[in-house]
Amino acid sequence: EVQLVESGGGLVQPGGSLRLSCAASGFTFRTYAMSWVRQAPGKGLEWVSIIGTSVGNTFHADSVKGRFTISRDNSRDTLYLQMNSLTAADTAVYYCAKAEGYCSDGTCYRYFDYWGRGALVTVSS
Amino acid sequence: EIVMTQSPVILSVSPGESATLSCRASQSVANNLAWYQQKPGQAPRLLVYGASTRATGVPARFSGRGSGTEFTLTISSLQSEDFAVYYCQQYLDWPPYTFGGGTKVEIK
C-alpha cells in the first residue's frame, strides 16, 4: 500500500524558513517523480514543485521560484521542500504527491495518483 | 500558462440523481486531463486520468469524457459519499501544472 506522510509543518514568522519532509513507502520511491501541491485555507489546489528521478531535474511554480527548493533522498525514501522567505501568502496545507504518467520524445506528462494527508504551514507574526 | 475553468462552482443534486461537471482548458491539452475528488479535511483522491480512464478502485459510476479543451465528469446515481469538491488538472503543458477552481457537489 502506497503511503505518503508529511511532517515539518507549523507556525513560522514572515521571512522565516521551514523544511517539510514526506516519508514514502509501498512503492519504489527512486523510480517515480514526486511533487508538492498546496491548498490555502478555503481555496483550491495550487501546484508548487516537482522533482524527477534524476538529480537536478526540478521545477517550481513562479510563485515560489527562488524561495522554495524541492529535493529528495532516495536512500531514505524521503521528499523534501525547503521553504525560505515565507510570507502570509504561503499559508496553506502542503501535500506531497506521487507523480504518475508517461514520457514521450523526452517530455513526461504526469498526474498525481497518491497524496499524503498534508502538513499545515501557517505564516504569521 | 493553461487556465482551467470549472463549472458550475456549486452543483446541488439529490442522492440517486446524476451530476455532470464541466472543465474547460484555455488551449488544447489533448487528453492530458485528470479529475480529483476532495472531501473536507482529506487529501485529494485521483478519480480519472487520460480524460477518461478511471483510477484503481474508482467506481464505474464515475465517467470522464472529452478531449482538446472541453471535458466532463459524470457521476451517475450519486451516493452519499460522492458529495465533495471535484478538481480537474491539465498535465500537457507544464510547468506549471494547473488545476481548475473546483466544483462543489452538494446535497439538494
Side-chain angles (χ1 to χ4, degrees):
Chain A
E1 178 192 4
V2 172
Q3 287 199 335
L4 299 168
V5 180
E6 301 93 340
S7 60
L11 175 65
V12 60
Q13 292 189 337
S17 298
L18 211 57
R19 188 178 82 157
L20 301 181
S21 300
C22 171
S25 61
F27 64 102
T28 308
F29 179 75
R30 67 179 184 277
T31 64
Y32 287 91
M34 297 293 296
S35 194
W36 291 98
V37 177
R38 68 183 180 182
Q39 186 170 37
K43 303 296 184 182
L45 301 171
E46 179 190 14
W47 172 77
V48 174
S49 304
I50 191 166
I51 184 167
T53 56
S54 304
V55 173
N57 191 12
T58 64
F59 300 88
H60 297 84
D62 285 347
S63 58
V64 306
K65 199 172 293 182
R67 300 187 300 122
F68 289 14
T69 301
I70 188 172
S71 63
R72 64 193 298 162
D73 184 341
N74 290 337
S75 69
R76 297 177 181 270
D77 290 351
T78 302
L79 177 72
Y80 301 102
L81 185 67
Q82 177 66 45
M83 303 183 292
N84 299 330
S85 302
L86 286 160
T87 72
D90 297 314
T91 294
V93 174
Y94 285 74
Y95 295 103
C96 161
K98 173 180 168 286
E100 181 57 272
Y102 66 98
C103 298
S104 176
D105 293 332
T107 301
C108 293
Y109 305 93
R110 298 188 177 101
Y111 50 91
F112 308 114
D113 61 344
Y114 290 95
W115 300 60
R117 300 180 73 170
L120 176 61
V121 173
T122 303
V123 184
S124 175
S125 55
Chain B
E1 173 177 329
I2 296 179
V3 177
M4 307 301 292
T5 302
Q6 291 185 243
S7 62
V9 174
I10 300 175
L11 187 59
S12 298
V13 187
S14 299
E17 292 184 339
S18 66
T20 298
L21 290 63
S22 295
C23 174
R24 174 177 293 178
S26 61
Q27 62 192 75
S28 177
V29 298
N31 69 337
N32 296 285
L33 191 285
W35 289 94
Y36 302 88
Q37 175 194 66
Q38 187 178 34
K39 298 178 182 179
Q42 296 187 18
R45 170 197 180 196
L46 175 68
L47 295 178
V48 170
Y49 61 92
S52 61
T53 303
R54 278 189 300 275
T56 303
V58 175
R61 63 180 181 272
F62 291 90
S63 62
R65 288 190 169 184
S67 67
T69 62
E70 301 284 343
F71 302 88
T72 59
L73 176 70
T74 298
I75 313 169
S76 61
S77 189
L78 270 150
Q79 307 295 302
S80 57
E81 61 265 30
D82 300 335
F83 292 95
V85 179
Y86 293 82
Y87 295 95
C88 61
Q89 175 231 333
Q90 69 82 20
Y91 51 97
L92 175 70
D93 185 29
W94 63 275
Y97 296 92
T98 49
F99 293 87
T103 291
K104 181 179 181 181
V105 177
E106 65 174 25
I107 300 175
K108 185 175 182 179

